[in-house]
Amino acid sequence: MSTARKAIKQVEKELLARKRELEQELDKLAKEKFDDGQIQDPGDQALSSTMELLKTSLQDAEFAEYQRIELALQKVQDGTYGVCIDCGEEIAEKRLKSYPNAARCLLCQEAFEDQG
């Protein structure tokens, strides 16, 4: 097996592990409740509301990461992992090591962020 293929297999293993972590965390967050159903004073209501908002924000961020991991795993399967979705060039190995679900090379990612 080539060095590149071994590296991709390692990335796939790491992505699958992170995917499982996210699935567990998302399941836990979905079941977590901050309101016990009791009558609350305004301070408790504000705290419960804030905690629910934070939970939703965390769920959204984790779900977005989960979707990026799913896409990266699909790219591993179809042989396009590590190829920038914008310019078609290879994404630097250093970038993929620090951000294994990167869809863009660094230059294209910076351009993408500048547009937003």
Side-chain angles (χ1 to χ4, degrees), residues 27-28 43 58 64 67 83 93 102 108:
D27 185 53
K28 178 182 166 189
L58 182 59
Q67 289 178 311
V83 177
E93 186 176 334
C108 289

Side-chain angles (χ1 to χ4, degrees), residues 5-72:
R5 187 68 191 143
K6 285 180 186 176
I8 290 176
K9 279 294 187 191
Q10 181 60 35
V11 167
E12 182 179 30
K13 183 179 173 183
E14 292 168 11
L15 288 169
L16 287 169
R18 180 63 182 146
K19 179 183 170 193
R20 283 189 294 277
E21 288 175 15
L22 286 169
E23 287 169 344
Q24 291 171 354
E25 186 62 29
L26 287 166
D27 185 53
K28 178 182 166 189
L29 285 170
K31 294 176 183 175
E32 196 171 66
K33 291 188 179 186
F34 296 104
D35 180 358
D36 60 6
Q38 301 293 320
I39 296 175
Q40 297 180 336
D41 64 33
D44 289 340
Q45 288 174 345
L47 179 61
S48 289
S49 178
T50 300
M51 294 303 290
E52 283 295 331
L53 185 61
L54 287 171
K55 179 180 108 170
T56 300
S57 178
L58 182 59
Q59 280 177 312
D60 290 348
E62 287 188 344
F63 186 68
E65 180 184 1
Y66 182 85
Q67 289 178 311
R68 288 189 304 270
I69 288 172
E70 283 281 296
L71 182 61

